[in-house]
Amino acid sequence: DKISLARRGDVICFNHPPEALILMVPTLAQRNLCCIKRVVAVGGDEVRVRGGRLMINGVPQTEPWIVGPMSYTMAPVRVPERHYFVLGDNRDNSVDSHLWGCLPHKLVIGFPLCTYWPLHRLARANAFRRAPRASHQLNLKEVWMRMRAGSAEHSRSLKKA
């Protein structure tokens, strides 16, 4: 395997969408598309959406990262082994597993390196394993100063050459 199995709460990247999504949007087959979604369920879990809430194995989930409650319902789905049920954090405006089904592990290419937008959610790479935590948030001023320092150092090295 390219990466270890993801767990609930991880944010993952996958290189191209599953065949079901390509059937929904044929132009995606012609692109080298990298998608990013949050793993909400893993192999063996039962997923459903009822009353605007995500339910995993019958338990309503607390998800502080989502934009708002879902306006759709979804009948129970059992996630096959070595598959994931992935959803975008902006649930009502995300093309994800609730539309095209479970994602096979073989399509996963890794975990994101960072979040850079929106700026108030700028985060380091390790923030994407499990749910994001405040301790992984970067100070925007600190990031800006590091970028400026790196740029100045790069300019000095070019002048020396």
Side-chain angles (χ1 to χ4, degrees):
D1 285 338
K2 293 177 253 179
I3 66 162
S4 61
L5 290 174
R7 294 183 278 186
R8 278 191 231 136
D10 286 350
V11 177
I12 59 173
C13 301
F14 45 103
N15 216 7
H16 53 82
E19 294 301 317
L21 180 54
I22 292 173
L23 292 174
M24 293 171 64
V25 187
T27 57
L28 294 177
Q30 299 152 3
R31 297 183 187 170
N32 184 12
L33 185 66
C34 179
C35 298
I36 182 167
K37 301 291 176 196
R38 186 177 303 277
V39 174
V40 298
V42 297
D45 287 340
E46 182 186 84
V47 184
R48 75 180 308 166
V49 175
R50 187 169 63 192
R53 299 230 21 218
L54 177 67
M55 312 271 290
I56 306 294
N57 301 322
V59 178
Q61 300 299 295
T62 302
E63 303 178 286
W65 48 80
I66 66 172
V67 173
M70 293 160 274
S71 63
Y72 57 87
T73 59
M74 187 184 81
V77 172
R78 178 75 55 189
V79 180
E81 290 302 318
R82 299 190 60 77
H83 284 69
Y84 306 108
F85 200 89
V86 296
L87 296 174
D89 289 350
N90 188 357
R91 302 285 161 84
D92 278 348
N93 294 303
S94 183
V95 178
D96 50 32
S97 287
H98 89 276
L99 296 173
W100 43 259
C102 297
L103 176 72
H105 175 75
K106 68 181 180 184
L107 295 182
V108 176
I109 57 172
F111 300 93
L113 294 175
C114 66
T115 297
Y116 62 90
W117 198 261
L119 290 175
H120 72 278
R121 288 181 55 193
L122 195 64
R124 295 183 173 115
N126 57 354
F128 300 102
R129 295 301 299 237
R130 310 312 155 263
R133 295 172 190 83
S135 63
H136 296 297
Q137 298 297 309
L138 294 175
N139 177 311
L140 188 55
K141 183 177 179 182
E142 176 187 339
V143 171
W144 175 250
M145 296 303 284
R146 285 183 186 177
M147 288 171 51
R148 288 186 62 200
S151 178
E153 187 175 319
H154 179 68
S155 295
R156 282 192 298 274
S157 69
L158 289 177
K159 287 179 185 175
K160 289 179 184 177

